[in-house]
Amino acid sequence: MSTLGCAVVEPVVDRVARAVAADHAACGLAAFDERTRAGHLRYLLVRSDGERALAGIVTAPSAPAAAVDRLAERLRARVPAVVGVVHVVNDATGGALLGPRRRIASGAAVIREALGDLDVEVGIGSFFQVNRDQAARLYAAVADAVQAAPGVRAVDVYCGVGGIALTLAARGADVLGIERDADAVATARAAARRHGLRARFEAADAARLVDLAGAVDVAVVNPPRKGLDVPTRAALARLAPARIAYVSCHPDSLARDLGDLRGAGYRVERAVPFDLMPGTAQVETVAILRRDSR
């Protein structure tokens, strides 16, 4: 049980939070007031691999860099499991947690996250499923469903840091991953090199999948909550792979997109839910589609 009240957070995350709460004022970083916009420390972001942690100290532009560095060093002294601390400057007035200005305050800028027998190095701003064990099961289920094997040509659209693409490649498939975030693409490429996998990655918009992928046997799409936009749905229909695996985090957009794909000649073979966030209403769904030969 978390001493800070959350029943599912990993213990090292609690230790980091307690250390920052204890030391930020003494280091010269006042808590930021969102109403008056006074103060320095806005947010604390923590990634964990279960044992180690990477911390992101998010401040207003007025925060002295020297004060952030002092807090970073104190944090790593208090919690040796912290491999690095990244200072993020955020002057946004909306709800965005991260800003574009980032620097290493202490230690490393990335942490290595495991996905079954694979791993990827992720930074403080990278999207990565927080439930690693369930994510590995989901990715393996996708690989099983699309029959990933040597000789299979696959494209993974909205691939992020490459979790699904790398899983397919580990089964022998020849994979192209497409992702708009250049940092995520760099992470995926590094992981593919490290593991010696046949996976390429391109930083591009999802709608370019036809131009980039050419002929493929399998397409995997894992879009954000809004689902596939109209150009991407049209491009996927033109690509016309024999099988599609659609990984969705929002049932409404999934239903809409499956309706369009049915009109493009696909039938849904099955849809399987995965609970990656126990205790919440959130569910991931893997829908498997096959092109109807009729």
Side-chain angles (χ1 to χ4, degrees), residues 55-86:
I57 296 175
V58 185
T59 72
S62 59
V68 176
D69 292 347
R70 284 194 296 271
L71 179 58
E73 292 301 330
R74 285 201 186 191
L75 171 59
R76 297 190 69 206
R78 280 184 181 266
V79 188
V82 175
V83 299
V85 180
V86 178

Side-chain angles (χ1 to χ4, degrees), residues 37 40 42-43 45 55-66 68-69 85-92 96-105 109 124-125 183:
R37 311 220 28 106
H40 307 114
R42 298 192 69 175
Y43 313 111
L45 305 177
I57 296 175
V58 185
T59 72
S62 59
V68 176
D69 292 347
V85 180
V86 178
H87 178 202
V88 182
V89 177
N90 180 355
D91 61 356
L97 297 180
L98 292 167
R101 293 165 53 192
R102 306 175 194 179
R103 68 180 184 88
I104 301 172
I124 203 64
D183 289 340

Side-chain angles (χ1 to χ4, degrees), residues 90-134:
N90 180 355
D91 61 356
T93 56
L97 297 180
L98 292 167
R101 293 165 53 192
R102 306 175 194 179
R103 68 180 184 88
I104 301 172
S106 179
V110 296
I111 188 170
R112 189 166 291 185
E113 296 264 20
L115 273 175
D117 295 331
L118 303 172
D119 59 65
V120 294
E121 291 182 335
V122 295
I124 203 64
S126 302
F127 173 79
F128 195 80
Q129 295 285 3
V130 295
N131 191 326
R132 292 177 300 278
D133 292 341
Q134 276 291 78

Side-chain angles (χ1 to χ4, degrees), residues 121 185-195 201:
E121 291 182 335
V185 167
T187 295
R189 286 173 175 166
R193 288 194 300 269
R194 189 165 60 250
H195 292 291
F201 297 91

Side-chain angles (χ1 to χ4, degrees), residues 113-283:
E113 296 264 20
L115 273 175
D117 295 331
L118 303 172
D119 59 65
V120 294
E121 291 182 335
V122 295
I124 203 64
S126 302
F127 173 79
F128 195 80
Q129 295 285 3
V130 295
N131 191 326
R132 292 177 300 278
D133 292 341
Q134 276 291 78
R137 292 187 182 98
L138 187 156
Y139 298 165
V142 169
D144 289 341
V146 301
Q147 301 173 14
V152 171
R153 301 162 299 174
V155 60
D156 179 10
V157 190
Y158 306 97
C159 69
V161 296
I164 295 177
L166 295 169
T167 302
L168 300 181
R171 302 278 185 98
D174 187 355
V175 187
L176 168 67
I178 300 174
E179 167 61 46
R180 291 182 63 182
D181 185 338
D183 289 340
V185 167
T187 295
R189 286 173 175 166
R193 288 194 300 269
R194 189 165 60 250
H195 292 291
L197 298 176
R198 290 174 59 86
R200 299 174 294 118
F201 297 91
E202 294 290 341
D205 187 86
R208 292 190 57 207
L209 70 97
V210 174
D211 297 332
L212 294 171
V216 299
D217 307 298
V218 171
V220 178
V221 293
N222 186 9
R225 287 181 62 82
K226 65 182 181 180
L228 304 175
D229 58 22
V230 173
T232 303
R233 292 201 298 271
L236 187 58
R238 290 199 309 274
L239 187 67
R243 295 183 297 279
I244 297 174
Y246 190 133
V247 183
S248 170
C249 60
H250 192 50
D252 289 347
S253 58
L254 173 64
R256 178 202 66 206
D257 292 348
L258 291 183
D260 274 13
L261 290 170
R262 185 183 180 201
Y266 286 87
R267 57 184 172 87
V268 179
E269 291 189 326
R270 62 187 181 277
V272 182
F274 284 81
D275 189 1
L276 273 70
M277 297 183 182
T280 75
Q282 178 70 25
V283 65

